[in-house]
Structure formats: C-alpha cells, structure tokens
Amino acid sequence: MQDNQHVEVNIPSNPIFERVVRASAAEIGEALDFPEDRIEDLKLAVSEAVTNAIEHGNQNMIHKLVEIVFALDQEKLEVRITDQGSGIGEMILPSEVVMITEQTLDERTGGGFGLSLIKAMVDDCEVQSSNRGTIIILRLYRKGQEQ
Amino acid sequence: MQDNQHVEVNIPSNPIFERVVRASAAEIGEALDFPEDRIEDLKLAVSEAVTNAIEHGNQNMIHKLVEIVFALDQEKLEVRITDQGSGIGEMILPSEVVMITEQTLDERTGGGFGLSLIKAMVDDCEVQSSNRGTIIILRLYRKGQEQ
Amino acid sequence: MSDMVNREKFGDVVVLHIRTNSVDAVSAAAIEAACNEMQPITVLNFAEVSFINSAGISVLLKFVVKARKAGYKLFAMNLSPHHQKIFKMVEMSRFMPTIEERDLSSYRQS
Amino acid sequence: MSDMVNREKFGDVVVLHIRTNSVDAVSAAAIEAACNEMQPITVLNFAEVSFINSAGISVLLKFVVKARKAGYKLFAMNLSPHHQKIFKMVEMSRFMPTIEERDLSSYRQS
Ligand SMILES: Nc1ncnc2c1ncn2[C@@H]1O[C@H](COP(=O)(O)OP(=O)(O)O)[C@@H](O)[C@H]1O
Ligand SMILES: Nc1ncnc2c1ncn2[C@@H]1O[C@H](COP(=O)(O)OP(=O)(O)O)[C@@H](O)[C@H]1O
C-alpha cells in the first residue's frame, strides 16, 4: 500500500446508504489485510459514526450529505466522517462501554451505545464539532502487520 | 426510494479499490431491490468500466482519480464513471459480445471483453470521451419492480 | 409477520430465524414485528446474521423487555464470534444467554 | 504455489480449488501461478468464487491455452448460475466445459 491513498464516499442522509459505506469499509479493511475480527470492528465503528451523522447530525434530512474519507497510509487507516448538522451540544466521549442494566430495561431507553462502541472498536478516535457540523475521526493502526 | 439520490465514490487508480466500488454497487442494487442476477450484472458492468478507467484512462497513475456517481431515481439506476485520462482514440462500442475463438487462443490475445460485457449487462450505455477524460454512463431500468 | 423473520414453533418453544444478514436501522422495524411471536421459551437464531449495530441492539432489547414482563426465557443461537464479543461487552449476554443447537434439539423431539 | 489456489491430485487428475471469492485483476497473478500444477485432467473448482470479470477471464484463458498445447482436458466445477451465463456468452464453456462433483467422484475412487 503506497502512502496516502484516499477513498471518498458521499451519501445522502438515508439510512439505507449506511450499508454502502459499511461495505466499502469492509473492502478497505481487506485491502489492508486486516484480520477478519478487525474488519468486523471497523465495520461496526463506521456504521455507528455514519448512523449518528445521518440521524443526529443531519437529522435525516435527505438532501444533507455525509462525507466519508478513508485515508490509508503505511501506519494506519484513518476514517473521517463529516456531517452538515449543527454540532454536538455537550461533548462527552464516554470513557467506558455503556452496558445494559435492569434500569435501561425498565426505562426502555436502550440508546447511547453508539459512541461507546466506536471507542471500544478503534485504536483512537477524535471528534471535532461546531455549529457547521461534526467530524468524527477513527484511527486503526496497522501494528504487527506486514506493510 | 425518493427521487434523485446520488451516492458518490472517488478512488485513486489502484485496482484494489475497484473492489470497493463493486461492493458499493452491490449494496445499491440491494437498496433498489434488484433481483440477485441483476445485481451480478451490475457488479460486472461497474467492474469493467472502473477497470478501464484505471488502466486505459488513468494508465494506472495512482494519483489520478476515478469518480463514480450512482444516481438513483424512481425509473432507473444510472452509474457514471469518469476518469482523468486522455480519452478513447477510436470510439467503437462493440455491437455483439466478443467471444473466445481458436484464433483468440492462438494469438493469446484474450482482451477486448470489457466494453462488450458492459453492453451485455446493462440496459443502456453511453460513452463521452474527450482529451480531458472519458465518462461512461450505464443505465439499468427498474421495470417491473415495485417503486 | 414479515418475511425477515421465520417462525418455527414446537410446544412452548419458538425459534425465530432472522433472515437478513444485517440487523440495523433499516431492518429494525421488520424484526421488531416478530416480538408478537414470542413464547415462554424464545430462541433468536442469528445463523444468517453477519452484522448487528446499536440500532440492532436496540431492537433486540425490545425482545428482552417483553420476555422480562411476561416471565419468558430468551436465548440467542448461532451468534458469530464477533457478536459474542459485542454481546459480552454491552452485557446483552446477561439478558439473552446463548444456547446451542444441540440443547434445543431435546426440546424439538419432546 | 500461492495459497490462493489449493491443489488436490489423484492419478492423472488435479482439482485446483480457487480460494478467493474474486477472480479479478488483483488476484490474477496468484491464480495464474497455478497453471504449473496442471495435469492431463484439470478441474478448476469455483465453489468459493462469487465474482469473475474480464481480467479474470483473461487469466482463465491461460489455462485453456496451456491445456490445448499439452493435449490436456480442462473442466470447470461449481460455477454459479451467473458465471455459467457469462461463460456461455463469451463461449468459454466451449473450451472449459462444466463437470459435476459426482462425475469427479468416480475418478477420486479409482
Ligand atoms: N454527528 C452528530 N451530530 C450531533 N450530535 C451527535 C452526533 N453524534 C452523536 N451525537 C450526540 O451524542 C449522543 C450519543 O450518541 P450515541 O452514543 O451514538 O447514542 P445514541 O445515538 O443512541 O443517542 C446522541 O444522542 C447525540 O446527542
Ligand atoms: N476509460 C478509457 N479510456 C481510454 N480508453 C479506453 C477506456 N475504456 C476503454 N478504452 C479503449 O477501448 C478498448 C477496449 O476496451 P475493453 O473492451 O474493455 O477491452 P480491453 O480492456 O481488454 O482492451 C481498450 O483497449 C482501450 O483502448
């Protein structure tokens, strides 16, 4: 894999197209020779970030776009997911995986897994948010792999 | 499927990324409820067009991009594949599928299937070529489908 | 019921075979509809499922909530190794433990 | 030989199991290497192959050319319906007819 190759995918805010991005992520993981389990991690993280961008960022307004850039280099895969929303109000990246509890079930909440799953699936993640939209950056290092 | 939704994919001219576009095409075929066999046709046509764009158009120069737009509407899927090459010299869209013959084998040619397979796989295709690049447009109609 | 889930019932047991590879926001509603098919022992068969995200987890929680309310037992079958990992991580496995095909077959025979 | 193709040999027969789902420009070279493993009766097993494009057809033609030169018989096994259609279309089926597992098993036993 030569340095700094970018694959870019742009989708309207329709949840059906999250599957397109997820399939692209899987192929890119294959191209980087990621092991199977790591490809599953990548797919899940990308899926959560794109779903958030569609639902929370762009609020399902179909004409608003989600832009996904897969940047590949010798060291890592970086995925940048950008929406055209009005940003994340209060910015708390969960430090632990959110778990299901009796309380979750009683209150029928069952949300809030997205960001915490993303954090658990990738090596490193970063959020930049303003009133012009949110960018979430996921990084998966190619440690221990032939390059 | 609402009117005029566009999914856009951009790749560097590295054959490995043709697989990303092909996987995207498959998901878009699924999203349109195309039958399985038609999805295979779509994947093959897109694969051939992207391979030509990478090899003949961009001549495997990695920094040159291939842009793929999937435009979905109620009537059809249109796929536009654009390269940054210097165009197709002599523009002959084959009217029949190229077949393997004893002569093919003796002369070890074995090329020239691409455009003819594309024509056989899609309902309609069109090529626009200039010295600034080539656009190939594939159309698959959603006839006989619920919309 | 939708063709996204097939029902196989014997006695107090129902196996709900999920017939989509992707338990996500797109398939959530069709899967949730199968809540109405639950029995005192309900098994969700994930054999064909290759992907579950948090929208998928949310829909699976509907089955958990309904099972708790009705006092039903709920199991997951044929989860991929990746999804076993995820179910452990979010503790879904506490509320929907896994069951093996062979444990189920004793029910099928009786 | 590459791990993209597994060889199974019995007598004059070799079955070359293609172990990638995509016979395309990326996998072409690794598949072509298996030409060296050809025997008087050579069967290409496409059971795991879900995609073949014209770059893939070109590499398969190397097997055809080699078989003709050496007077070998060449067969395709477990082609998907889509690829049977494509092979008919380009007349690959003339040079690499399909064979069924069960016809092969008589060779395996002998
Ligand atoms: N792209 C985004 N734009 C705006 N807000 C976001 C975005 N992503 C996440 N959020 C906010 O962060 C919260 C937590 O997200 P998440 O952990 O994925 O759980 P859930 O989506 O179930 O609420 C969301 O409810 C939302 O308020
Ligand atoms: N995007 C393109 N840019 C420039 N030339 C092209 C392009 N696509 C096809 N061609 C020309 O058309 C010819 C036929 O293409 P094709 O039928 O795919 O067969 P092959 O790729 O095996 O030559 C190519 O050899 C090339 O000269």
Side-chain angles (χ1 to χ4, degrees):
Chain A
M1 188 56 59
Q2 285 172 298
D3 250 1
N4 284 322
Q5 301 198 33
H6 286 200
V7 171
E8 202 182 303
V9 182
N10 282 290
I11 60 167
S13 294
N14 180 338
I16 192 86
F17 297 127
E18 178 268 307
R19 293 180 172 180
V20 173
V21 186
R22 194 200 307 161
S24 298
E27 289 297 331
I28 285 169
E30 292 274 359
L32 291 170
D33 267 329
F34 279 177
E36 209 178 310
D37 191 53
R38 206 160 161 75
I39 293 178
E40 293 309 316
D41 291 350
L42 169 64
K43 281 162 64 181
L44 180 53
V46 168
S47 172
E48 296 300 334
V50 171
T51 302
N52 279 348
I54 291 174
E55 292 180 1
H56 299 303
N58 292 346
Q59 314 218 285
N60 294 296
M61 284 181 280
I62 198 102
H63 62 279
K64 291 204 173 181
L65 300 181
V66 180
E67 179 194 272
I68 300 93
V69 175
F70 297 92
L72 298 75
D73 65 33
Q74 300 221 316
E75 183 202 10
K76 65 182 179 307
L77 168 64
E78 186 169 288
V79 190
R80 298 191 278 270
I81 297 106
T82 307
D83 63 50
Q84 305 180 315
S86 47
I88 306 189
E90 202 187 345
M91 189 50 183
I92 325 153
L93 263 185
S95 56
E96 306 238 308
V97 175
V98 175
M99 286 182 293
I100 301 163
T101 61
E102 266 75 15
Q103 206 194 343
T104 325
L105 298 175
D106 290 343
E107 295 171 4
R108 299 244 187 78
T109 48
F113 295 106
L115 289 173
S116 93
L117 280 175
I118 292 173
K119 271 204 70 172
M121 295 296 112
V122 303
D123 292 320
D124 189 6
C125 91
E126 196 178 303
V127 184
Q128 295 162 8
S129 195
S130 77
N131 59 7
R132 299 182 49 220
T134 299
I135 309 184
I136 176 158
I137 302 173
L138 317 177
R139 293 190 195 92
L140 289 91
Y141 292 93
R142 304 174 67 187
K143 46 184 180 252
Q145 279 198 296
E146 280 168 353
Q147 281 167 19
Chain B
M1 188 58 56
Q2 285 173 300
D3 250 0
N4 285 321
Q5 302 198 33
H6 286 201
V7 171
E8 202 181 303
V9 183
N10 281 290
I11 60 167
S13 294
N14 180 338
I16 193 84
F17 298 126
E18 178 268 308
R19 293 180 173 180
V20 173
V21 186
R22 194 200 306 162
S24 298
E27 289 298 330
I28 285 169
E30 292 274 359
L32 291 169
D33 265 329
F34 279 177
E36 207 178 313
D37 192 54
R38 205 161 162 74
I39 293 178
E40 293 308 317
D41 291 350
L42 170 64
K43 280 163 63 182
L44 180 52
V46 168
S47 172
E48 297 298 334
V50 172
T51 302
N52 279 348
I54 291 173
E55 292 180 1
H56 300 304
N58 293 346
Q59 313 218 286
N60 294 296
M61 285 182 279
I62 198 103
H63 61 278
K64 291 203 174 182
L65 300 180
V66 180
E67 179 193 273
I68 300 94
V69 175
F70 298 92
L72 298 76
D73 64 34
Q74 300 221 318
E75 182 202 10
K76 65 181 179 308
L77 168 64
E78 187 170 287
V79 190
R80 297 191 280 270
I81 297 104
T82 306
D83 64 49
Q84 304 179 317
S86 48
I88 306 190
E90 201 187 346
M91 188 51 184
I92 325 153
L93 262 185
S95 55
E96 306 238 309
V97 174
V98 174
M99 287 183 294
I100 301 163
T101 61
E102 266 76 12
Q103 207 194 341
T104 325
L105 298 175
D106 290 344
E107 296 171 2
R108 300 246 185 76
T109 47
F113 296 106
L115 288 174
S116 93
L117 281 175
I118 292 174
K119 271 204 70 173
M121 295 298 111
V122 303
D123 292 320
D124 189 5
C125 91
E126 197 179 303
V127 184
Q128 295 162 7
S129 196
S130 77
N131 58 7
R132 299 183 48 220
T134 299
I135 308 184
I136 177 157
I137 302 173
L138 318 177
R139 293 190 195 90
L140 289 92
Y141 292 93
R142 305 176 66 186
K143 47 187 180 252
Q145 278 197 296
E146 281 169 352
Q147 281 166 19
Chain C
M1 101 176 288
S2 96
D3 54 2
M4 197 90 76
V5 181
N6 284 167
R7 188 189 65 159
E8 183 196 356
K9 189 171 174 308
F10 35 99
D12 268 1
V13 181
V14 68
V15 183
L16 299 173
H17 302 274
I18 303 177
R19 306 300 308 273
T20 172
N21 54 33
S22 193
V23 180
D24 62 6
V26 176
S27 60
I31 292 168
E32 185 175 344
C35 265
N36 295 325
E37 307 287 334
M38 288 177 75
Q39 294 288 325
I41 297 175
T42 298
V43 178
L44 294 176
N45 183 2
F46 290 91
E48 294 180 35
V49 175
S50 59
F51 185 79
I52 306 174
N53 63 12
S54 67
I57 291 174
S58 295
V59 72
L60 297 178
L61 284 177
K62 313 268 179 168
F63 289 81
V64 173
V65 167
K66 174 139 184 195
R68 280 163 59 92
K69 264 190 157 167
Y72 289 178
K73 287 199 151 72
L74 180 63
F75 299 98
M77 188 166 73
N78 294 317
L79 267 185
S80 75
H82 173 76
H83 292 124
Q84 288 179 30
K85 177 179 89 176
I86 302 296
F87 274 34
K88 277 229 179 71
M89 214 175 248
V90 301
E91 301 214 322
M92 177 69 95
S93 44
R94 261 182 69 202
F95 302 96
M96 195 193 288
T98 49
I99 192 173
E100 306 279 320
E101 286 272 8
R102 64 170 176 275
D103 297 325
L104 197 64
S105 59
S106 62
Y107 284 106
R108 273 196 174 108
Q109 276 144 21
S110 64
Chain D
M1 102 177 286
S2 95
D3 55 1
M4 196 90 77
V5 181
N6 284 168
R7 188 189 65 158
E8 183 196 356
K9 190 171 172 308
F10 34 100
D12 269 0
V13 181
V14 68
V15 183
L16 299 173
H17 302 273
I18 303 177
R19 305 300 309 272
T20 171
N21 55 32
S22 193
V23 180
D24 62 6
V26 176
S27 60
I31 291 168
E32 186 175 343
C35 263
N36 296 325
E37 307 286 335
M38 288 177 74
Q39 293 289 324
I41 297 175
T42 298
V43 179
L44 294 177
N45 184 1
F46 291 91
E48 294 180 35
V49 175
S50 59
F51 184 79
I52 307 175
N53 63 12
S54 67
I57 291 174
S58 295
V59 71
L60 296 178
L61 285 177
K62 313 268 178 164
F63 289 81
V64 173
V65 166
K66 172 137 185 195
R68 279 162 60 90
K69 263 192 159 165
Y72 288 178
K73 287 198 153 71
L74 180 64
F75 299 98
M77 189 165 75
N78 294 317
L79 268 184
S80 75
H82 174 76
H83 292 124
Q84 289 180 30
K85 177 178 89 176
I86 302 296
F87 274 34
K88 277 229 178 72
M89 216 175 246
V90 301
E91 301 215 321
M92 178 70 95
S93 44
R94 262 182 69 203
F95 301 96
M96 195 192 289
T98 49
I99 193 174
E100 306 280 321
E101 286 272 7
R102 63 169 176 275
D103 297 325
L104 197 65
S105 59
S106 61
Y107 284 105
R108 274 196 175 111
Q109 277 144 21
S110 65

